[in-house]
Every structure is written in structure tokens, then in C-alpha cells.
Amino acid sequence: MERGSGRLFRRTPLARLLCTRSASTKLFIGGLSYDTNETVLKDAFGHCGEIIEVRVICDHMSGKSKGYGFVRFSSKTASERALKEMDGQVLDGRNIRVHYARHA
């Protein structure tokens, strides 16, 4: 048994399934323009499927975007479609990167 590293948790089949299922509907969006807001992000990804949550991460002091955000879809199919269609596309003049989020 490995302790403290979280590896035991990841080796548990049910826990791995729950983490994968949750993470598979949430996408990390990097390379955002500092002018991109949540409405723009939602409009850009909306054609891929039903969106549950959109979040652009902002600096707590200045309130300005940090250049990345997250989009959570209602289904794995929608998130897969968004990943395939949106990775590398131009949004607000910037090429965005789309990946599955690591943590739900």
C-alpha cells in the first residue's frame, strides 16, 4: 500500500471511474485573450452541447483575466465534440488550447 501520495485512491476502480467521469465533462481552455469573458466563452462553445458552467479565471486583486478558464458540459459526448472542434481555433484573436481538466 502506498500512503500519502494519493495513488491508492487512484487505483480504486470506482474512485478512478468517478474522477474520469467528472473530469471528462470539464474542459480547460488556455490561451484566452485577456478580453475574453464568460459570455464570449459560452457563445463560442455552445454549439457543441449543453453547457452547465463557464468560468474565466481572474486575478483577485485586479479583476483581469489570467488567460484561461473552464467549460463544463452536461455530457461526455458534448465535451469530446468541443475538444475536437475547438482545440487550436481562434477566439478573440488568440489560438486557444482545449484539454480535459485534471480536477473536477
Side-chain angles (χ1 to χ4, degrees), residues 87-103:
D87 187 35
Q89 296 299 312
V90 176
L91 179 63
D92 279 349
R94 303 274 312 260
N95 284 59
I96 61 172
R97 298 177 317 277
V98 181
H99 305 281
Y100 287 112
R102 293 178 190 242
H103 301 285

Side-chain angles (χ1 to χ4, degrees), residues 70-98:
F70 298 92
V71 177
R72 184 187 303 268
F73 288 90
S74 63
S75 71
K76 184 177 175 182
T77 304
S79 65
E80 288 172 352
R81 179 178 177 195
L83 179 69
K84 288 177 188 173
E85 292 183 15
M86 297 300 292
D87 187 35
Q89 296 299 312
V90 176
L91 179 63
D92 279 349
R94 303 274 312 260
N95 284 59
I96 61 172
R97 298 177 317 277
V98 181

Side-chain angles (χ1 to χ4, degrees), residues 20-41:
T20 303
R21 180 183 304 156
S22 180
S24 68
T25 61
K26 185 175 184 180
L27 299 177
F28 167 84
I29 317 300
L32 293 176
S33 164
Y34 297 116
D35 297 323
T36 301
N37 60 33
E38 292 172 352
T39 303
V40 171
L41 200 55

Side-chain angles (χ1 to χ4, degrees), residues 41-43 45-46 49-54 71-74:
L41 200 55
K42 184 174 184 178
D43 290 346
F45 281 81
E50 183 183 354
I51 295 175
I52 296 173
E53 177 185 21
V54 176
V71 177
R72 184 187 303 268
F73 288 90
S74 63

